[in-house]
């Protein structure tokens, strides 16, 4: 895989407050540059509604943790800037894409790679397709990643390493994108249908 042919791409991860729809409490993005993950942004966000106890059990972010964090409108421009015009990737990407789209009106990535979809195509015999299962299956070393699982910075970095592992199974960016972009998402190939005429 020639990483020099890749478009601008950031692996993203978001954590929410447990509301429906969720308010964001943490956002991270890791740029893929020259075939390596480069942490680009990671910020806590003070949501307009409290974090539920269920959400805290998942990501361990408490209301106390975000009490002095900036509100979304204060960090949105800095988050949107690197994402503008770029591809994004995420594990189970519709979750992160939907949350970011709702919080960034008018933003649409150039394309969306779903590492969950890509992993199913790449490793059909994997025992599971959750992020933990895939990291175990691929034996990707995680020692150098700061933080812990279920925090946005850690998960974005781990997903970036997973994406790079998966990319090794594809000859070109175009083939990888064809396998990794879910139907209906930005970047999906438009099927060629012959025009049919009713006589």
């Amino acid at each position: 895989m020639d990483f020099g042919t890749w478009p601008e791409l950031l692996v993203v991860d978001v954590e929410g407050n447990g509301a429906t729809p969720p308010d964001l409490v943490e956002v991270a993005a890791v740029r893929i540059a020259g075939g390596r993950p480069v942490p680009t942004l990671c910020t806590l966000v003070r949501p307009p509604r409290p974090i539920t106890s269920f959400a805290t059990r998942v990501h361990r972010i408490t209301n106390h943790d975000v009490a002095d964090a900036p509100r979304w409108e204060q960090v949105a421009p800095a988050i949107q800037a690197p994402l503008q015009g770029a591809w994004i990737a995420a594990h189970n990407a519709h979750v992160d894409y939907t949350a970011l789209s709702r919080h960034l009106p008018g933003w649409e990535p150039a394309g969306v790679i779903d590492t969950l979809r890509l992993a199913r195509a790449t490793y059909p015999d994997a025992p599971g397709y959750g992020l933990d299962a895939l990291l175990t299956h691929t034996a990707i070393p995680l020692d150098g990643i700061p933080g812990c699982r279920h925090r946005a910075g850690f998960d974005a970095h781990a997903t970036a390493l997973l994406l790079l592992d998966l990319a090794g199974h594809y000859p070109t960016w175009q083939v990888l994108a064809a396998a990794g972009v879910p139907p209906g998402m930005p970047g999906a190939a438009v099927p060629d249908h012959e025009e049919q005429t009713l006589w």
Side-chain angles (χ1 to χ4, degrees):
M1 172 66 77
D2 178 4
F3 291 105
T5 64
W6 281 36
E8 180 77 4
L9 183 143
L10 293 100
V11 182
V12 299
D13 189 77
V14 302
E15 304 297 339
N17 66 340
T20 305
D23 303 307
L24 299 183
V25 298
E26 192 172 40
V27 179
V30 173
R31 189 181 309 277
I32 301 294
R36 300 187 60 176
V38 179
T40 301
L41 68 90
C42 186
T43 183
L44 287 170
V45 181
R46 180 164 33 124
R49 294 172 287 180
I51 301 171
T52 66
S53 56
F54 173 79
T56 293
R57 282 197 296 275
V58 173
H59 49 51
R60 300 185 189 137
I61 301 171
T62 67
N63 288 299
H64 177 74
D65 292 331
V66 297
D68 295 323
R71 294 193 179 278
W72 177 255
E73 56 270 20
Q74 296 173 282
V75 296
I79 290 170
Q80 184 164 348
L83 300 179
Q84 196 66 42
W87 281 68
I88 64 166
H91 199 68
N92 202 10
H94 79 276
V95 173
D96 303 86
Y97 169 65
T98 300
L100 285 169
S101 295
R102 193 168 63 82
H103 284 79
L104 295 170
W107 167 77
E108 183 170 297
V112 178
I113 297 285
D114 184 0
T115 51
L116 172 58
R117 177 182 177 85
L118 195 58
R120 285 180 171 146
T122 310
Y123 295 124
D125 299 324
Y129 294 97
L131 185 57
D132 288 322
L134 287 165
L135 292 171
T136 300
H137 180 70
T138 54
I140 292 171
L142 305 174
D143 303 347
I145 305 177
C148 61
R149 181 74 173 89
H150 297 297
R151 290 296 298 266
F154 185 98
D155 287 3
H157 200 132
T159 302
L161 292 173
L162 175 63
L163 175 60
L164 292 169
D165 173 89
L166 295 167
H169 297 263
Y170 294 84
T172 66
W173 163 260
Q174 288 76 14
V175 177
L176 181 146
V181 179
M185 286 276 198
V190 179
D192 254 346
H193 293 305
E194 291 185 8
E195 186 178 348
Q196 297 183 359
T197 305
L198 294 176
W199 295 94

